[in-house]
Amino acid sequence: MPTQLDTALDAIMAQMTKEGQPFHTTPFARHGVDMPAFTVAPPTMAHYFAHFCNEHKDVPFIVDGEIRMTFGETYAAAMCVAESLATQHGMKKGDRVGIAARNSANWMIGYMGIAMAGGCVTLLNGFWSGEELAYGIRLAECELVLADAGRAARLEGTDHHAKLIMIEHTAPAQGLANVWAPPADPATSVAMQMLGVLTADDLATILYTSGSTGQSKGAYSDHRGVVAGVMSYVAQSAMAKVLLESQGEDVSAQPSALVAVPLFHVTGEVPLFLQSYAIARKLVLMPKWNAEEALRLMDSEKVTYFVGVPLMSYEMATHPNKDQYDLSACRSFAAGGAPRPLEHVTKIKEAFPKGFPLLGYGLTETNAVGCGNFNENYLAKPGSTGKASQPLVEVAILDDDGNQLAQGDVGEVCIRTVANFLGYWNNEEATRKAFTEDQFFRSGDLGYLDEDGYLYIVDRKKDIIIRGGENISCIEVEDAVYAHDDIAECSVFGLPDDRMGEVPAAIFRVKEGRDAMEGGALREFLLSRIAPFKVPLEEHIWVTDEVLPRLGTQKIDKKSLREAYTAKLSAA
């Protein structure tokens, strides 16, 4: 039966989606399939930035250490970046421009400037090794990359043809000096000219995803898809605000969010960063995760919304110095990227009684749009990722042939929405496999819908590990192991972990006649080839003299290995 909260939210959304209201929808046909699209959404990200930065021009927006900027100041800085990209660096509409940098005000301004100049914002994973960064640059065919010193150093000696534009994390005019050209007249600037040129069909972003095939794929979206994803979240926020107002809550304070997740991830990019323009939300950055520093910033900046991987809110809730900080302004503790252990839900609610734990489900390929589980409903169904986000999202549970399964049956979770990406860059085969004929995106997750339409994720079809919200492809790590000449066979799999959700583990066998090898030596070898977060700790690398167990297909039986070594760790 629908809960009282469900009924209230449905009624609010029904009002907000009426004709003439801000979230009214009209059908949009993609590949012959009609799906709802917002009727009055900005056509592109450039229009979105221009509209809301003007509407909120004097409102505080970015807090990055000593750097404090309003929406208007941020837009003016992005105009200078857009001008430079087009007039000094030769960027043309549709060119892919990478960002390889840690979170900062200048990362955000760089993103805006690329989009406002008509470029495709290409979000390189800041955790990647140099070889991985170079691969991402080659895959997207980036001509230009905005890079900070740390990522530029990793890229030294690697194979790519992009021009690196060095940026620093200081005041924008200084830190972005290499991509900074104040327009002579803002009215005739590149940014203003592009507002008459860019359309919803133009290329907007490329984000990278690790899947079962090993190497990352570049998921590309047009402006229509990214704007739809952003506005879907704005609709959820508007719905929540109306609900709180109806309950007599004071929602007059400026919303504020802590940025503790990478902006190159879709969770950081869409619901956190991009949504903030529409809802006039202040963003408070911290360059590296630290639970007590997060508590301090949330207290001093009166943060109202927190989103992170599950372990982050749990670490704050259980921090021994928690009571020294006032977090009463924060009403929402959201998580995404991985399921939240049930114990965490209770701990967070106990630690922050004025706030609610929330859980979202979306993917890189859906521009973060999917399902949400809110407040009392989450406490009632903590194992669920919630209901499909109205009014754009359709969720279906399909079998391998694309047939819809009955309520309660487990199958592949599939999502259809105008916010979905268009495909994988230069990978038509993977694109074709990603969609059903009627345009549902195949998530690779296995799940079911309960009698109230709540989605439960039970397993993954894709061979990936989710470590603290970071996707790790088992096949990619195995490929790195097999690059060692002494390895006869190996298997990489995920093990449960209280802090990270899952961590990578590996078992390997050395070729006959080769010297024995310990796990530590293999770990050192892997650290020279792939990003550290993908490499198992030494205590999670096992050596065996026996042939690894096989399935009837002669594939290595990863499931039995995972179960055996999970039990071994539990017994230790």
Side-chain angles (χ1 to χ4, degrees), residues 63-81:
V63 178
D64 182 9
E66 297 301 312
I67 298 170
R68 288 180 175 263
M69 302 179 72
T70 64
F71 283 92
E73 290 167 342
T74 306
Y75 189 77
M79 287 185 80
C80 297
V81 172

Side-chain angles (χ1 to χ4, degrees), residues 345-476:
V345 179
T346 306
K347 288 277 189 185
I348 293 163
K349 185 57 185 168
E350 289 174 351
F352 309 115
K354 291 190 176 180
F356 275 102
L358 314 176
L359 187 67
Y361 173 73
L363 300 100
T364 299
E365 291 93 338
T366 67
N367 278 300
V369 170
C371 299
N373 200 353
F374 306 102
N375 297 14
E376 299 98 321
N377 289 350
Y378 186 25
L379 297 177
K381 297 188 179 190
S384 171
T385 58
K387 298 177 72 173
S389 297
Q390 299 181 67
L392 295 189
V393 180
E394 295 177 77
V395 173
I397 306 298
L398 306 181
D399 65 17
D400 289 342
D401 296 323
N403 301 310
Q404 195 150 331
L405 296 175
Q407 179 261 311
D409 287 353
V410 173
E412 186 168 11
V413 179
C414 298
I415 295 175
R416 182 165 64 192
T417 161
V418 73
N420 279 354
F421 79 131
L422 297 180
Y424 297 113
W425 194 258
N426 285 339
N427 194 335
E428 291 184 10
E429 182 183 0
T431 300
R432 180 176 49 78
K433 290 179 178 178
F435 291 96
T436 65
E437 287 186 9
D438 50 358
Q439 291 302 294
F440 275 97
F441 167 66
R442 291 186 171 276
S443 71
D445 291 326
L446 296 176
Y448 67 91
L449 295 168
D450 73 6
E451 64 277 7
D452 299 319
Y454 277 72
L455 176 65
Y456 288 76
I457 306 295
V458 298
D459 203 350
R460 286 188 294 278
K461 289 180 73 174
K462 293 179 180 178
D463 195 8
I464 59 171
I465 299 161
I466 302 181
R467 177 193 177 274
E470 277 286 341
N471 281 9
I472 301 171
S473 164
C474 295
I475 294 174
E476 181 188 4

